[in-house]
Every structure is written in structure tokens, then in C-alpha cells.
Amino acid sequence: MGDMADPALSGTAEPARRVLLAAPRGYCAGVDRAVLAVEAALEQYGAPIYVRHEIVHNKHVVKTLERKGAVFVEETAEVPEGSIVIFSAHGVAPEVHREAERGKLATIDATCPLVTKVHKEAVRFAKENYQILLIGHEGHEEVIGTSGEAPEHITLVDGPADAAKVEVPDPDRVVWLSQTTLSVDETMETVDALKGRFPNLLSPPSDDICYATQNRQLAIKQVAAESDLVLVVGSKNSSNSVRMVEVALGAGATRAHLVDNASEIDEAWLTGVTTVGLSSGASVPEVLVEGVLEWLAERGYADVELVQPTEEHIQFSLPKELRRDLRAEAAAKVAG
């Protein structure tokens, strides 16, 4: 036995495999509130409860709520008269509220309070006759909802390149607002480009990008700097999850992938990988992250280190409409 070389001494031992688990991750306060609102409505009023658009951008969450009796629709017109409809966390334009009234529906507004803040800013600046440069992605539900508050006063700016094409009636009366789920770095790059064209560009009274988006991007930056591979759990239509992959690549990760769950991970991605960075978007339940951790542990990545640059303690109360008898209100609308 004495002539056998010890791999650890000879330098041939494989480096220890590990997972760097980012925190904060997963559900933010706005998503938690929206999902709980649907569950509470089903418990209080019974199925079906209609939800306009996905309550949050996550396949697992939507399917789980569907099994409990939630019915997801694209348009308010699809909801039968006298029913209860919930508006998603991303917010809706005022016209959608009017559609619900015309359709004799009882409504629960599960819009994230931080998105509501941006809506209120849009209304205020429009009243003061500012042209609002809304930084965001065309077609995203949050952008559609915010734009609907003051369509004559809002110009969408989809990234730094778009800033060069913006035209405004009065360059001295312009203000920028943003979608809450963007990359912090790219948003500020867009703001800088806009300021180059409009030196008197006004900033919102407080940062529009949500605290949870910023915290998750900060954590993934730290994780990515030490990882060979980064996995972000989230759905492809989730803006904040997609941004986290981009932020990870920008922060030094060689490879980064967005996966809905462990079944979407390609084992070939682990070739030559010692350190896997792991996080999840703000609309992702923790059970999906746990599934990825189990999958990685089965392949030798059982050592998990937490990377937590900041903590979160924010909570939002449930929508006030849940304190009322909405079934009776809806019936009264139909009868009236």
C-alpha cells in the first residue's frame, strides 16, 4: 500500500464542488401579496375566481392556482357578468377598471404597491404637463398599465439605443420613470443617454426600480464573480428573472441559464464546473429552488454556501377588497 500515491498529495484530486446560493431570492413582497390575494379570494368566495393575465410571471404558480380554482383570462371581456376578477401584480390601465365596471364585475386589485407608486407619479407629472420618458420593455404588462395612466404624455424608451430617437414637445419639461423590474445598470445607462440629450431631465422623487429587483441583482453579481456556471430559476416571460441572467453574465459568469425548474437543466452544463451559482426571480416559489439544490446534490454539489449581501423585511397588507362581500356586490351589479 505504501507505494500508492495519495491523490490529495499528488495534486490530482478534484476540487470540491459547491453551490453559492444567493439571497435574497424568490418571492418579493408584491408577488407574495398577489398570490395570497388569489388564495384568500378562493377561500372566502369559492371558485371560480377569474384573474386577468398571469397573477405573476411564473408557470408553476399559475398552474398551482388553476388547480385550486383560479381561471386565468387574457381580457376582461372574457369574464362572465357578475363574477369576481383579480388584476395581476403588474398593474392595469384605468380603461381596464372601466371595462370591469361595464362588465358588472367585482374587482380585487392585486397590483404591487411599488407599481402603483409609478402609476401615481405618471398621473402627477402628466397633470404638471411634463413629457414622461418611461424606460421599459415594449409590450410588458407593467409598461402597458403605466402608459394607460397618461397615454398623451408618455413616450416609451426601450434601452439606451432608443434614447437617441426620442422626440419631446418641450425639452425643458421632461421626466423619466421606469418599469420596476429592469436591470439597474442598464436603466442608469439609458438615463445618462437621455440626460445627454435633455440636460434638464427630471428624475422621479425615488428610484422606481423595485427594492427586490435591486437586491436580487446585487446578490447575483457577488455570486457570479465566483461561479463557473450560474442558474437562475424563473420563467422566460419574467422580466426580472431574464435581467438576472444578463446581470450574472455582466458580472463575470462564464455561463448563465434561466430554467423554470430542475428538469430544464442540461447535465452537460456541469462539465468542468466546480462552483454553481444559484438564485431565483422575484415570482419564484422556494420549492423550485429546493428542487434544483436536490438535483445538484445528486451530482456531487452538496456543499451549499449562502451569499447574502442584504436582508429584506418588507411586507404588504392584502388588498382591502378582500374585507368585503364581493359575491353580493357582483350580484347587485347584475340585478341593478
Side-chain angles (χ1 to χ4, degrees), residues 41 125 148 151 182 258 267 305 336:
F125 284 117
L182 300 179
L258 183 65
E267 202 154 348
E305 296 175 31

Short mmCIF file of all heavy atoms in Angstrom, two decimals, residues 41 125 148 151 182 258 267 305 336:
data_model
loop_
_atom_site.label_atom_id
_atom_site.label_comp_id
_atom_site.label_asym_id
_atom_site.label_seq_id
_atom_site.Cartn_x
_atom_site.Cartn_y
_atom_site.Cartn_z
N ALA A 41 -59.05 34.88 -1.88
CA ALA A 41 -60.31 35.07 -2.60
C ALA A 41 -60.99 33.72 -2.84
O ALA A 41 -62.21 33.58 -2.67
CB ALA A 41 -60.07 35.79 -3.92
N PHE A 125 -47.13 63.83 -12.89
CA PHE A 125 -46.28 64.56 -13.85
C PHE A 125 -47.07 64.95 -15.11
O PHE A 125 -46.82 66.00 -15.70
CB PHE A 125 -45.04 63.73 -14.21
CG PHE A 125 -44.00 63.73 -13.13
CD1 PHE A 125 -43.63 62.55 -12.49
CD2 PHE A 125 -43.37 64.90 -12.74
CE1 PHE A 125 -42.67 62.54 -11.49
CE2 PHE A 125 -42.41 64.91 -11.75
CZ PHE A 125 -42.05 63.73 -11.12
N GLY A 148 -51.07 53.57 -19.79
CA GLY A 148 -52.50 53.86 -19.85
C GLY A 148 -52.95 54.95 -18.91
O GLY A 148 -54.05 55.50 -19.05
N PRO A 151 -51.58 58.37 -21.58
CA PRO A 151 -51.01 58.00 -22.88
C PRO A 151 -50.49 59.17 -23.71
O PRO A 151 -49.51 59.02 -24.45
CB PRO A 151 -52.18 57.29 -23.59
CG PRO A 151 -53.40 57.58 -22.78
CD PRO A 151 -52.95 57.88 -21.40
N LEU A 182 -36.43 46.24 -14.15
CA LEU A 182 -35.31 46.33 -15.10
C LEU A 182 -33.95 46.10 -14.42
O LEU A 182 -33.85 46.10 -13.20
CB LEU A 182 -35.31 47.71 -15.76
CG LEU A 182 -36.55 48.09 -16.57
CD1 LEU A 182 -36.38 49.48 -17.14
CD2 LEU A 182 -36.80 47.08 -17.68
N LEU A 258 -31.36 30.46 -17.64
CA LEU A 258 -32.66 30.60 -16.98
C LEU A 258 -33.41 29.29 -17.13
O LEU A 258 -33.56 28.76 -18.23
CB LEU A 258 -33.45 31.73 -17.66
CG LEU A 258 -34.82 32.07 -17.06
CD1 LEU A 258 -34.69 32.62 -15.64
CD2 LEU A 258 -35.54 33.09 -17.94
N GLU A 267 -27.38 18.43 -18.09
CA GLU A 267 -26.25 17.92 -17.31
C GLU A 267 -24.90 18.28 -17.95
O GLU A 267 -23.89 18.43 -17.26
CB GLU A 267 -26.37 16.41 -17.13
CG GLU A 267 -25.60 15.89 -15.96
CD GLU A 267 -26.15 14.60 -15.37
OE1 GLU A 267 -27.28 14.19 -15.72
OE2 GLU A 267 -25.43 14.01 -14.56
N GLU A 305 -23.20 27.17 0.06
CA GLU A 305 -22.80 28.37 0.82
C GLU A 305 -23.77 29.50 0.50
O GLU A 305 -24.06 29.76 -0.68
CB GLU A 305 -21.38 28.80 0.43
CG GLU A 305 -20.30 27.80 0.78
CD GLU A 305 -18.94 28.25 0.26
OE1 GLU A 305 -18.70 29.47 0.18
OE2 GLU A 305 -18.13 27.37 -0.10
N GLY A 336 -78.88 45.27 -10.66
CA GLY A 336 -79.15 46.71 -10.82
C GLY A 336 -79.11 47.16 -12.25
O GLY A 336 -79.58 48.22 -12.61
#
